[in-house]
Amino acid sequence: MTTQAPTQKRTVRAVPFGAPHVFILAVIGGPDMESTFKICASETTLGRGDRTTLRLQDDEISKRHCTVRCDAGQCHLVDEDSLNGTEVNGRNLRKGLTVRLHHGDEIRIGATRLLFLTGKFTPAPDEG
């Protein structure tokens, strides 16, 4: 008579924020050069203040400079009435306006340049 090994419970992983989309901000210039940040919430605030989601070490940016809002696989950027403004691909983001971000867009806030990257999340195939 053969005995069977007990059935192992399958671990169910939580679906990552934005799945199947992944959103990244990569610093390509400025004090935080070469840092990368994964956007993990529907709203991510950038600035130098303690109450921002993504805190940057740049004296030229406001405490609460701009916000990235993501929903349904798309992200939008809005300037939070910053002193020095926000640029996307070399164009000033006018106060009160929101711009949709696309893969490869360059965002400039103060002396910091960020590259917006997006892709699709592909879950690993089931093992076993």
Side-chain angles (χ1 to χ4, degrees), residues 52-100:
T52 56
T53 312
L54 199 157
R55 188 173 182 197
L56 298 167
Q57 304 301 313
D58 184 343
D59 292 336
E60 294 182 32
I61 64 176
S62 299
K63 288 182 181 177
R64 183 177 166 91
H65 198 97
C66 60
T67 301
V68 177
R69 294 189 178 110
C70 301
D71 185 38
Q74 297 181 1
C75 291
H76 295 83
L77 181 69
V78 62
D79 184 271
E80 296 292 347
D81 200 21
S82 66
L83 183 63
N84 292 328
T86 302
E87 290 181 6
V88 178
N89 297 326
R91 293 186 176 178
N92 284 324
L93 181 58
R94 291 175 39 200
K95 183 179 174 181
L97 293 181
T98 301
V99 64
R100 180 176 172 196

Side-chain angles (χ1 to χ4, degrees), residues 3-127:
T3 55
Q4 295 180 339
T7 304
Q8 293 181 354
K9 284 190 172 183
R10 179 186 274 184
T11 303
V12 178
R13 293 182 184 166
V15 176
F17 168 79
H21 304 279
V22 177
F23 308 110
I24 304 287
L25 287 172
V27 181
I28 58 172
D32 295 290
M33 181 72 163
E34 297 183 11
S35 297
T36 56
F37 305 95
K38 182 177 178 187
I39 296 175
C40 298
S42 59
E43 190 168 292
T44 301
T45 306
L46 288 75
R48 61 179 170 79
D50 293 334
R51 296 186 178 183
T52 56
T53 312
L54 199 157
R55 188 173 182 197
L56 298 167
Q57 304 301 313
D58 184 343
D59 292 336
E60 294 182 32
I61 64 176
S62 299
K63 288 182 181 177
R64 183 177 166 91
H65 198 97
C66 60
T67 301
V68 177
R69 294 189 178 110
C70 301
D71 185 38
Q74 297 181 1
C75 291
H76 295 83
L77 181 69
V78 62
D79 184 271
E80 296 292 347
D81 200 21
S82 66
L83 183 63
N84 292 328
T86 302
E87 290 181 6
V88 178
N89 297 326
R91 293 186 176 178
N92 284 324
L93 181 58
R94 291 175 39 200
K95 183 179 174 181
L97 293 181
T98 301
V99 64
R100 180 176 172 196
L101 294 172
H102 297 89
H103 179 75
D105 281 350
E106 184 179 319
I107 302 163
R108 179 184 292 270
I109 57 174
T112 300
R113 292 175 36 228
L114 303 122
L115 193 61
F116 178 76
L117 304 169
T118 185
K120 286 222 176 182
F121 170 79
T122 306
D126 287 340
E127 294 178 14

